[in-house]
Amino acid sequence: DGRAGNPDPVGDAIMTDAVPSMASVQEEIVAEMAGLEDGLKTYAYLVRLGQALEPPQESIRQDAHAVSGCQSQVWIKAELDAGHLRIAADSEAMITRGIIALLLRVLDGRTPAEILDGDLFFLDKTGLKSHLSPARGNGLAAMVQTIRSRAEGVTGRGPGLL
């Protein structure tokens, strides 16, 4: 077909067999965090992830994308692209940006059904929930719920807002 020497990186990235499963990505995170014995090391890890997180291509810091229930300001935008939910998110707080980086690593580019049906077991297996303050834990729950709500909106399974 003439494409043998010129593969389509965008098309390849969307193919299901080219994308690691949600479970395998979560297991990678669990392995990475296994050596973090306490909350301070976990927070340092999250700060490093937050600092490394690329800012969204466009400004998403708009009221329409704001997530309520978070200790710090968080914005999440989701768009359906070729059947996959593309998620952009940002926060002013580095720890929160680190949490966002983990959520994006697991959920960005998945189908809405994968997001809605998937179990985010890494949150428990890493001890992340237990290391977060109650306010940050509530924020994490709000971010997950917002992403799932946006996935519901594009599937017709609920009233999500893109």
Side-chain angles (χ1 to χ4, degrees):
D1 66 4
R3 291 180 5 143
N6 186 16
D8 177 8
V10 174
D12 290 345
I14 293 176
M15 290 175 48
T16 305
D17 58 353
V19 177
S21 71
M22 275 180 62
S24 66
V25 172
Q26 292 182 84
E27 288 296 346
E28 289 173 7
I29 293 169
V30 170
E32 288 171 14
M33 294 183 70
L36 306 176
E37 307 92 32
D38 60 38
L40 290 178
K41 289 185 179 181
T42 300
Y43 280 142
Y45 171 79
L46 291 173
V47 167
R48 283 193 309 275
L49 291 178
Q51 291 169 335
L53 181 65
E54 291 289 325
Q57 292 289 334
E58 61 182 80
S59 174
I60 64 167
R61 293 183 178 199
Q62 302 171 15
D63 289 345
H65 306 301
V67 177
S68 60
C70 294
Q71 180 178 357
S72 55
Q73 290 185 305
V74 176
W75 301 270
I76 296 176
K77 181 179 180 182
E79 296 179 325
L80 195 61
D81 180 21
H84 295 78
L85 206 61
R86 300 309 317 219
I87 306 164
D90 201 8
S91 176
E92 294 172 345
M94 278 303 131
I95 290 172
T96 304
R97 282 178 59 87
I99 295 168
I100 288 169
L102 291 174
L103 291 174
L104 291 179
R105 187 168 159 190
V106 174
L107 298 173
D108 183 38
R110 304 279 170 199
T111 65
E114 285 178 293
I115 292 169
L116 292 171
D117 299 335
D119 174 23
L120 297 179
F121 64 82
F122 81 98
L123 297 173
D124 289 317
K125 283 182 86 171
T126 59
L128 185 60
K129 283 183 180 178
S130 65
H131 289 303
L132 296 176
S133 67
R136 281 207 167 86
N138 290 341
L140 170 60
M143 287 186 274
V144 170
Q145 181 53 45
T146 297
I147 293 169
R148 286 191 167 147
S149 176
R150 308 276 161 90
E152 286 175 342
V154 298
T155 62
R157 286 167 62 174
L161 167 70
L162 290 178

